[in-house]
């Protein structure tokens, strides 16, 4: 009986166990590769308008990330938006890395190198877009999953069904090449069992810290109740500052649409200059006035997402920043006294944003 069992049951050697684990991850490798391959090819092949700088290209998407981008990446995006050459080069390089690394994972070519590339992409995407997703924290979920998959594929490699393994079969001496072992995926990493365990656990705890910390920051549900995050992906908000009452009764102010659904703009239906002493409006700008403001009334900070006139009044897409001038509505010869005033903007759905008004 013992002899029969030994003949029919393969020995569970460490190498066999590793190869089975890598083969078991074929679906993970394909999905991770396809996600990034799809992202890159959508821009280079299937949706080239995303790279057409004369249309609604990727710069608009990056600008929507600014309100909630963390660890200084909001300042990086703002800098790139003001420097077209660097911005365009960055978009092209990012998209190319997505496409090439994705393809390499799909076919299993230099699998560990490709896995590390997607790991870096996932990290950047988390910092930029992790706050977005109005209902299902979509961007966080995608970045978190891809981050974990990148670590797993780096550790496990590609197994038998890969170009790496084909290269090894054609040139067995590659198995003695340390660089090939680290970049490819046909063989285990050139580490002792103890060193591999330390590396795997280190990467595991990095993933735990990164995923739990970003989830807690964006949504709570770890140490605090679930919340909409420091920057809401579902509710638009206008940050107003620098409001100034001009001598002719006009009001200028700086506006920044610093939260909300990135796919939909916010619409301001009405503006009013309120006397804080009486609580009554001194000037009002109705929808009909706001929707006919000239282009000269808007001095936008960026060339992409811009605050502008719309059907209902003033339209502001997420990430847009501009200095706006509201013309005086006072009768000729009538001036506004040196009182205390507040500027109020009211959106189509009733949200009100305020800013104290200064005198020149």
């Amino acid at each position: 009986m013992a002899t029969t069992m030994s003949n029919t049951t393969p020995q569970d050697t460490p190498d066999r166990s590793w190869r089975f684990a890598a083969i078991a991850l074929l679906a993970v490798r394909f999905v991770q590769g396809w996600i990034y391959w799809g992202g890159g090819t959508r821009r280079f092949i299937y949706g080239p308008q995303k790279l057409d700088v004369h249309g609604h290209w990727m710069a608009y998407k990056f600008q929507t990330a600014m309100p909630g981008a963390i660890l200084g990446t909001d300042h990086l995006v703002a800098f790139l938006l003001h420097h077209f050459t660097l911005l365009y080069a960055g978009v092209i390089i990012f998209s190319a890395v997505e496409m090439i690394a994705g393809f390499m994972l799909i076919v299993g070519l230099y699998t560990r190198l490709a896995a590390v590339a997607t790991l870096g992409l996932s990290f950047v995407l988390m910092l930029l877009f992790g706050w977005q997703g109005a209902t299902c924290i979509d961007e966080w979920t995608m970045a978190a999953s891809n981050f974990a998959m990148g670590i797993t594929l780096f550790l496990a490699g590609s197994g038998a069904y890969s170009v790496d393994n084909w290269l090894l079969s054609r040139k067995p001496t590659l198995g003695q090449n340390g660089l090939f072992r680290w970049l490819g995926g046909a063989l285990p990493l050139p580490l002792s069992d103890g060193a591999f365990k330390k590396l795997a656990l280190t990467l595991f705890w990095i993933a735990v810290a990164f995923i739990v910390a970003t989830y807690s920051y964006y949504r709570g549900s770890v140490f605090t109740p679930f919340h909409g995050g420091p920057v809401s992906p579902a509710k638009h908000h206008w940050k107003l500052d620098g409001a100034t009452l001009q001598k002719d009764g006009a009001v200028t102010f700086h506006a920044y649409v610093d939260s909300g659904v990135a796919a939909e703009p916010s619409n301001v239906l009405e503006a009013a200059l309120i006397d804080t002493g009486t609580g009554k409006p001194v000037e009002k700008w109705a929808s009909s006035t706001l929707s006919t403001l000239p282009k000269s009334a808007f001095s936008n900070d960026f060339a992409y997402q811009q605050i502008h006139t719309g059907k209902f009044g003033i339209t502001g897409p997420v990430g847009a920043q501009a200095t706006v001038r509201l013309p005086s509505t006072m009768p000729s010869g009538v001036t506004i006294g040196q009182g205390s005033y507040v500027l109020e903007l009211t959106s189509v759905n009733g949200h009100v944003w305020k800013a104290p008004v200064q005198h020149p």
Side-chain angles (χ1 to χ4, degrees):
M1 177 69 71
T3 303
T4 303
M5 288 294 293
S6 63
N7 289 336
T8 59
T9 304
Q11 284 190 334
D12 192 19
T13 63
D15 182 66
R16 176 178 178 273
S17 298
W18 170 81
R19 290 180 69 81
F20 269 42
I23 292 172
L25 290 171
L26 274 172
V28 174
R29 195 185 88 209
F30 173 81
V31 171
Q32 177 83 329
W34 190 266
I35 287 172
Y36 284 104
W37 161 259
T41 55
R42 280 198 302 274
R43 295 175 210 125
F44 287 118
I45 302 173
Y46 302 106
Q49 67 274 9
K50 292 178 178 290
L51 297 179
D52 181 1
V53 298
H54 300 294
H56 197 82
W57 70 297
M58 286 298 296
Y60 292 84
K61 173 67 174 176
F62 279 108
Q63 191 173 336
T64 67
M66 282 199 309
I70 60 176
L71 299 185
T73 51
D74 54 335
H75 299 297
L76 174 61
V77 172
F79 174 81
L80 291 175
L81 290 173
H82 283 301
H83 297 80
F84 171 78
T85 301
L86 294 176
L87 172 65
Y88 193 73
V91 171
I92 293 296
I93 292 171
F94 189 92
S95 301
V97 172
E98 279 191 302
M99 184 174 70
I100 295 170
F103 175 77
M104 290 169 66
L105 283 180
I106 290 172
V107 301
L109 172 63
Y110 290 102
T111 305
R112 290 192 171 95
L113 175 62
V116 170
T118 62
L119 188 61
L121 293 172
S122 302
F123 179 78
V124 172
L125 290 171
M126 177 69 87
L127 300 186
L128 289 173
F129 300 103
W131 66 278
Q132 293 184 346
T135 57
C136 300
I137 56 175
D138 307 337
E139 302 293 349
W140 180 91
T141 301
M142 180 67 75
S145 299
N146 291 150
F147 190 81
M149 290 161 70
I151 287 177
T152 301
L153 293 171
F154 167 71
L155 292 171
S158 54
Y161 301 104
S162 65
V163 174
D164 288 335
N165 197 66
W166 177 81
L167 290 173
L168 182 64
S169 67
R170 299 276 301 200
K171 192 175 182 180
T173 55
L174 285 174
Q176 308 304 315
N177 187 313
L179 186 61
F180 180 79
R181 296 280 292 268
W182 278 102
L183 300 183
L187 294 170
L189 286 170
L191 297 171
S192 66
D193 290 351
F196 180 83
K197 180 179 179 180
K198 289 180 180 179
L199 174 62
L201 289 177
T202 297
L203 294 176
F204 167 73
W205 285 115
I206 288 174
V208 169
F210 182 60
I211 300 309
V212 174
T214 52
Y215 187 80
S216 178
Y217 178 77
Y218 289 132
R219 292 294 182 269
S221 302
V222 181
F223 304 107
T224 63
F226 181 84
H227 56 73
V231 176
S232 173
K235 183 178 179 181
H236 286 108
H237 179 268
W238 290 56
K239 178 183 177 182
L240 308 177
D241 55 40
T244 304
L245 176 62
Q246 307 298 323
K247 292 182 179 180
D248 63 355
V251 175
T252 60
F253 63 95
H254 186 267
Y256 176 23
V257 186
D258 62 355
S259 71
V261 182
E264 295 292 338
S266 175
N267 295 287
V268 170
L269 184 67
E270 183 181 273
L273 181 67
I274 307 297
D275 186 327
T276 58
T278 64
K280 296 181 179 180
V282 176
E283 290 190 279
K284 292 188 72 174
W285 295 268
S287 174
S288 57
T289 301
L290 298 179
S291 62
T292 56
L293 289 174
K295 287 186 178 181
S296 58
F298 304 93
S299 178
N300 279 277
D301 294 10
F302 301 102
Y304 308 103
Q305 298 281 73
Q306 294 191 344
I307 296 175
H308 57 279
T309 55
K311 179 180 179 180
F312 301 102
I314 298 177
T315 296
V318 173
Q321 302 181 39
T323 297
V324 182
R325 187 180 190 276
L326 302 177
S328 173
T329 63
M330 301 299 291
S332 178
V334 178
T335 60
I336 300 176
Q338 294 285 322
S340 176
Y341 304 99
V342 170
L343 175 67
E344 288 188 357
L345 301 185
T346 304
S347 71
V348 171
N349 50 11
H351 295 143
V352 177
W353 302 291
K354 303 179 181 182
V357 176
Q358 301 174 343
H359 295 272

